[in-house]
Amino acid sequence: MEEKDNTGTKERENETGGAAEPTKKVRIAAVADIHVREHDTGKWGDYFKEASRQADILVIAGDLTDTGDESEAEVLVNELKHCSIPVVAVLGNHDYEKSRHKLIRQILLRADVNMLDGEAVVIKGVGFAGVKGFGGGFDNRMLSMFGEGAMKAFVQEAVDEALHLERALGRLDQEHQVDKKIAVMHYSPIRETVVGEPEAIFPFLGCSRLAEPLSRHGVLAAFHGHAHIGTLEGKTHDGIPVFNVAKPILNKEQKTFLVFEA
């Protein structure tokens, strides 16, 4: 796998050894919340083979593992051997459960998965910027940094994640002048794609702060997961498509994964 350069942006060439043509459509298969378990050996091989047939790049938007255990990450790595296309991924809250997220990330990096955490990568002419994201609520019901220290820390986490996304997208603009930009996160940047979940938990499913960098940098689309009984598709206030690709939602829509052309 390519090493990150000093700015945190990675570059990957297509199979022909050259940069992808700007006008060529690139098919992106997206899914989230696959929750791979320790005893899932043999379960995912055909799934990743199908992704390779239908798309040019696979995106996994968090919750790669079920309980955040490195043994689950090792199972995922073995299953991904059946995937013949580049993989871009971010971690989700389940991957943090046992505080082994750094180890999980390293296991996947060693397997050539493009793990993004405030970083960016360019594959086949498409720029991907990724973060985990965080909660905080949406629009005029978004939590503010006021009151107890614990509340301020909660809000600060969302602010930090939005800043990481801003910087990653900025690198795609400044260093690579990439026209096609895709944002990947686990938490939702808009309210629309969490509708279906109990409204009381909306503040824990995403945050509007994550939508602000999408608009400033003109991304083509954003993928997230986390809200298992949310809504497949929505848009930011200025019309950027946002897709909740949590696997339970895709199952309900009778989709193996969502395929988006960039």
Side-chain angles (χ1 to χ4, degrees), residues 3-247:
E3 294 292 331
K4 287 190 292 182
D5 62 22
N6 292 333
T7 64
T9 304
K10 296 178 280 186
E11 183 76 42
R12 184 169 183 161
E13 292 183 340
N14 65 12
E15 286 86 346
T16 62
E21 295 177 9
T23 56
K24 184 180 179 181
K25 290 292 185 181
V26 177
R27 299 166 301 163
I28 300 165
V31 67
D33 301 274
I34 58 176
H35 296 280
V36 173
R37 299 177 181 178
E38 189 174 354
H39 302 296
D40 274 357
T41 297
K43 176 180 176 179
W44 294 95
D46 288 342
Y47 185 85
F48 293 131
K49 287 178 184 177
E50 184 61 24
S52 303
R53 284 191 289 267
Q54 291 197 29
D56 304 301
I57 301 168
L58 173 64
V59 164
I60 310 177
D63 282 2
L64 314 176
T65 64
D66 193 47
T67 66
D69 195 281
E70 65 269 28
S71 62
E72 296 169 336
E74 294 285 5
V75 171
L76 174 57
V77 162
N78 285 327
E79 296 297 294
L80 281 170
K81 291 176 182 176
H82 298 278
C83 187
S84 58
I85 57 177
V87 181
V88 176
V90 298
L91 297 179
N93 58 309
H94 276 243
D95 304 312
Y96 276 68
E97 166 61 19
K98 293 180 179 177
S99 298
R100 296 174 183 172
H101 50 281
K102 292 182 180 179
L103 180 55
I104 290 170
R105 174 183 164 91
Q106 287 302 316
I107 289 169
L108 289 158
L109 282 171
R110 288 198 296 269
D112 286 343
V113 176
N114 294 278
M115 295 299 300
L116 303 182
D117 183 15
E119 297 138 339
V121 63
V122 179
I123 305 173
K124 300 179 184 292
V126 179
F128 294 85
V131 293
K132 173 178 63 65
F134 200 62
F138 304 100
D139 303 322
N140 60 353
R141 295 185 179 179
M142 190 165 56
L143 298 176
S144 62
M145 200 174 293
F146 182 85
E148 301 94 329
M151 181 61 72
K152 291 177 180 176
F154 186 92
V155 175
Q156 186 63 55
E157 183 74 11
V159 171
D160 289 345
E161 289 293 298
L163 288 172
H164 293 329
L165 181 58
E166 175 77 38
R167 285 193 288 269
L169 288 167
R171 291 184 187 114
L172 293 175
D173 287 336
Q174 296 161 17
E175 298 166 20
H176 297 280
Q177 292 82 48
V178 177
D179 293 326
K180 300 177 179 180
K181 296 184 287 289
I182 299 291
V184 183
M185 61 198 79
H186 186 58
Y187 288 77
S188 177
I190 62 171
R191 181 184 186 278
E192 209 173 339
T193 51
V194 305
V195 170
E197 299 277 358
E199 192 167 354
I201 67 169
F202 279 13
F204 306 102
L205 298 176
C207 184
S208 292
R209 289 185 170 90
L210 295 167
E212 296 167 8
L214 309 182
S215 299
R216 279 193 290 271
H217 294 276
V219 304
L220 283 179
F223 300 115
H224 75 88
H226 191 41
H228 289 199
I229 54 174
T231 301
L232 177 64
E233 185 175 356
K235 291 183 178 180
T236 63
H237 293 309
D238 54 352
I240 295 170
V242 176
F243 300 97
N244 179 353
V245 292
K247 196 167 189 302

